[in-house]
Amino acid sequence: MVEIEMGVKEFNQPIVTANRKLVASENGGLHNPSYLVFNGHWSSEPAQDMRKKFSYPSVTGVRRPESEEDIAFMSVLELGQLIKTKQISSEELTGIFLRRLKRYNPVLEGVITYTEELAYKQAKEADDLLAKGVYLGPLHGIPYGLKDIIAVPHYKTTWGSRTFKDQVLNIEAWVYKRLKSAGAVLVAKLVSGSLAYDDIWFGGRTRNPWNIEEYSTGSSAGPAACTSAGMVPFAIGSETAGSITFPAARCGVTALRPTFGTVGRTGVMSISESLDKLGPFCRGAADCTVVLDAIRGQDPDDLSSRNTSLDDPFSVDIAKLTVGYLDDAEMEVVSVLRSKGVNMVPFELNYTVESVQGILNFTMDVDMLAHFDEWQRSRQDDDYEAQDQWPVELRRGRMIPAVDYVQVQRARGKLIREVKESFKVDAFVGNATDWERVCMGNLVGMPVIVVPTGFKNISNPPSSGTRRRTTITTGIYALPEHDHIALALAMAYQSVTDHHKQRPPIDDLGPNGSYQILQR
């Protein structure tokens, strides 16, 4: 014991001190990524060159609606057609969405920073290009929002945290650069729960537009709420463990958690380099497909990023697919897909690993602590917005021995092998927010698209009635690097249903609505 104690003092502690000074003096995991790189690639074949774009469906006969409300709830493809045919300018469209953001944000608390000056600059550039006959594609001139863990030069990137609320990172996040090159127009930095945890941030707590008596969940709280309320046509969020799936389900929007590594993360605050993913929040699956096409591809500064071998979702023959459905799948989805010619079969995903949630917690907590070591050691976590969240988890994470962290990664490898062996269908349908499934899907790197499937009455509604609703959703899961399958199935379902087109009642809460929207 004396020798061990001396070894810790003379050997271990100097190494720890040197490494803290070398790589742990900055928070957020933006620099010096770990070289213990997770590879979610299941195929032994090399990735294809993904420079070829998807073949977008022709959208013809689109006419500009008279009201701004109707314009705000059009799809990205429809708005793109309005711009392409010069029925509306990007500057005018940008103004519409900035007005909606400012109108509803006092109630929903979904915006951290308006990027108004940048937005009008980018919109003018889009209009000028179109006037010269240059059209960049369906995102040309389309406004959007970014979760505020994604860096944009000259604007605050607060990570939703009181500690970092004045932070400006002069970094162009890779996903921002991709959207800028596609002609999209950034109108706002949207709420991330503090340090990407839940929906509480330094300015309040983001609400669900379908029922503003409840919160949106998180941590992509702003992207989900603002897309749902027609405040942006689409937004980019992130997920480490449920941060796309949960707020999308709560707010009733379509959202894609892509295969791990599909979208580069340079310039994005990191929780866990082997779990973090970026994905789109949209009206429908077709819009998710368009946005994914713009942001996918290998990011040279993200060690886990790669060109994934995705086929064109718009060209998938779903009648050739066998799709499983779990006990908790929404059966309307099963019925619709079956009517479309899909072979729908009962399915169960089997694996023997019992500690799936524990594997995720160990991985996420230790990785997050490495990225916010200085923040936690300097006791800045004492000022954190929700003391029962990161402060508790990270203090617990510091007690995990290195050997047990490595063992957890070995157990993760076993889980991945067993899920791969059990995945005998092309895709499966099931609850998108089952926590065990959320943990499993993120550990494996599996894509899922959240699909709105209907509504039910809120719990304990007022006797005089209300338009507030609880949204119902399901998830369509696919094998890693088969996002195109999940997207194609979701588009097939949404081609004959309109749940994803419904508008939340934030202007008409009915009797006993507790919150007043500012008058037009």
Side-chain angles (χ1 to χ4, degrees):
M1 292 298 295
V2 171
E3 288 180 0
I4 291 172
E5 186 176 349
M6 288 177 60
V8 167
K9 182 177 180 180
E10 296 176 3
F11 185 72
N12 295 20
Q13 288 180 354
I15 293 173
V16 169
T17 300
N19 286 340
R20 283 177 175 173
K21 183 178 180 180
L22 183 67
V23 298
S25 59
E26 292 181 293
N27 295 300
L30 295 171
H31 308 289
N32 302 303
S34 169
Y35 273 73
L36 298 174
V37 179
F38 172 62
N39 182 2
H41 189 64
W42 278 13
S43 173
S44 59
E45 298 296 322
Q48 301 173 8
D49 188 336
M50 298 310 300
R51 286 177 294 185
K52 185 177 180 182
K53 291 291 186 180
F54 298 153
S55 299
Y56 308 123
S58 176
V59 181
T60 58
V62 178
R63 293 289 177 263
R64 175 177 174 166
E66 292 185 6
S67 75
E68 289 190 358
E69 172 87 4
D70 291 338
I71 291 172
F73 282 96
M74 296 178 80
S75 71
V76 166
L77 286 169
E78 290 169 335
L79 291 173
Q81 187 67 11
L82 290 185
I83 286 178
K84 186 178 181 181
T85 56
K86 300 183 180 179
Q87 297 181 58
I88 195 169
S89 69
S90 179
E91 285 191 85
E92 187 178 0
L93 192 62
T94 296
I96 289 172
F97 283 104
L98 280 168
R99 285 192 290 276
R100 288 186 66 82
L101 284 162
K102 293 176 181 180
R103 172 177 168 76
Y104 295 112
N105 190 57
V107 170
L108 295 181
E109 298 180 6
V111 180
I112 292 182
T113 302
Y114 299 101
T115 57
E116 189 165 355
E117 183 179 350
L118 175 64
Y120 280 118
K121 177 177 178 289
Q122 291 181 337
K124 184 178 185 305
E125 290 171 353
D127 290 335
D128 289 347
L129 280 176
L130 195 60
K132 296 174 184 176
V134 179
Y135 181 65
L136 299 176
L139 296 184
H140 187 122
I142 303 296
Y144 73 100
L146 287 175
K147 183 177 179 178
D148 199 35
I149 63 170
I150 302 170
V152 175
H154 313 301
Y155 286 92
K156 292 178 182 179
T157 301
T158 70
W159 302 338
S161 168
R162 188 179 296 115
T163 308
F164 303 100
K165 66 184 179 67
D166 296 318
Q167 173 178 256
V168 176
L169 299 170
N170 284 318
I171 302 170
E172 272 199 328
W174 192 84
V175 69
Y176 169 67
K177 288 194 285 189
R178 295 289 286 202
L179 288 167
K180 185 169 66 170
S181 68
V185 174
L186 179 65
V187 291
K189 304 289 293 298
L190 305 178
V191 165
S192 166
S194 185
L195 302 185
Y197 197 132
D198 203 38
D199 50 24
I200 299 172
W201 58 292
F202 67 85
R205 192 172 187 185
T206 306
R207 295 183 179 275
N208 172 16
W210 279 101
N211 179 9
I212 60 173
E213 296 283 350
E214 67 180 12
Y215 301 103
S216 65
T217 80
S219 63
S220 300
C226 291
T227 303
S228 173
M231 294 156 71
V232 288
F234 75 94
I236 303 297
S238 70
E239 172 154 329
T240 306
S243 288
I244 289 177
T245 48
F246 275 90
R250 174 66 61 85
C251 297
V253 295
T254 307
L256 175 70
R257 183 190 76 207
T259 295
F260 177 83
T262 300
V263 182
R265 303 167 301 181
T266 297
V268 180
M269 190 208 94
S270 177
I271 290 179
S272 172
E273 286 152 331
S274 72
L275 292 169
D276 299 337
K277 294 159 291 291
L278 299 174
F281 288 76
C282 300
R283 305 260 182 274
D287 286 355
C288 284
T289 304
V290 169
V291 176
L292 179 67
D293 197 23
I295 63 177
R296 68 192 174 108
Q298 188 166 14
D299 172 0
D301 296 317
D302 180 349
L303 299 175
S304 295
S305 170
R306 62 190 184 280
N307 290 321
T308 51
S309 303
L310 296 184
D311 292 336
D312 186 344
F314 294 112
S315 301
V316 173
D317 184 355
I318 62 171
K320 294 181 178 179
L321 300 177
T322 296
V323 175
Y325 57 92
L326 307 183
D327 290 343
D328 58 9
E330 288 297 322
M331 294 308 294
E332 184 198 45
V333 177
V334 176
S335 176
V336 167
L337 293 179
R338 183 176 283 133
S339 72
K340 291 276 189 177
V342 180
N343 180 29
M344 302 297 299
V345 298
F347 179 68
E348 190 173 326
L349 193 65
N350 296 310
Y351 47 84
T352 64
V353 176
E354 297 181 2
S355 56
V356 173
Q357 297 179 36
I359 293 171
L360 184 133
N361 287 340
F362 266 42
T363 302
M364 181 174 66
D365 292 352
V366 171
D367 292 0
M368 177 66 173
L369 183 56
H371 296 150
F372 284 89
D373 188 23
E374 189 274 337
W375 176 78
Q376 201 249 359
R377 284 187 293 106
S378 63
R379 303 302 298 269
Q380 292 178 79
D381 58 344
D382 288 345
D383 198 33
Y384 187 75
E385 286 74 8
Q387 284 295 307
D388 60 341
Q389 294 179 357
W390 277 135
V392 171
E393 289 207 27
L394 298 188
R395 289 166 192 155
R396 186 174 65 234
R398 200 172 285 281
M399 300 297 105
I400 298 172
V403 169
D404 292 316
Y405 178 82
V406 172
Q407 299 292 34
V408 122
Q409 301 315 311
R410 297 176 72 199
R412 181 180 184 179
K414 181 176 175 63
L415 173 69
I416 292 169
R417 290 192 297 273
E418 292 182 343
V419 169
K420 182 178 179 180
E421 291 167 0
S422 177
F423 210 126
K424 302 296 186 183
V425 290
D426 295 299
F428 68 84
V429 181
N431 189 313
T433 57
D434 175 85
W435 182 236
E436 171 84 3
R437 201 168 302 141
V438 167
C439 294
M440 179 277 299
N442 278 290
L443 288 168
V444 170
M446 180 187 301
V448 60
I449 185 165
V450 180
V451 181
T453 59
F455 304 90
K456 61 183 179 182
N457 292 332
I458 62 171
S459 301
N460 303 313
S463 58
S464 51
T466 180
R467 289 192 62 216
R468 291 182 283 127
R469 294 289 181 267
T470 296
T471 58
I472 304 170
T473 60
T474 201
I476 302 177
Y477 299 77
L479 286 79
E481 303 195 10
H482 287 70
D483 308 54
H484 56 281
I485 299 295
L487 287 163
L489 291 167
M491 284 191 284
Y493 171 73
Q494 291 182 339
S495 70
V496 295
T497 59
D498 64 357
H499 305 302
H500 62 293
K501 296 181 180 180
Q502 302 306 305
R503 305 177 187 182
I506 52 176
D507 273 317
D508 181 13
L509 298 175
N512 300 317
S514 301
Y515 296 87
Q516 297 299 315
I517 302 296
L518 300 175
Q519 293 299 310
R520 286 189 176 88

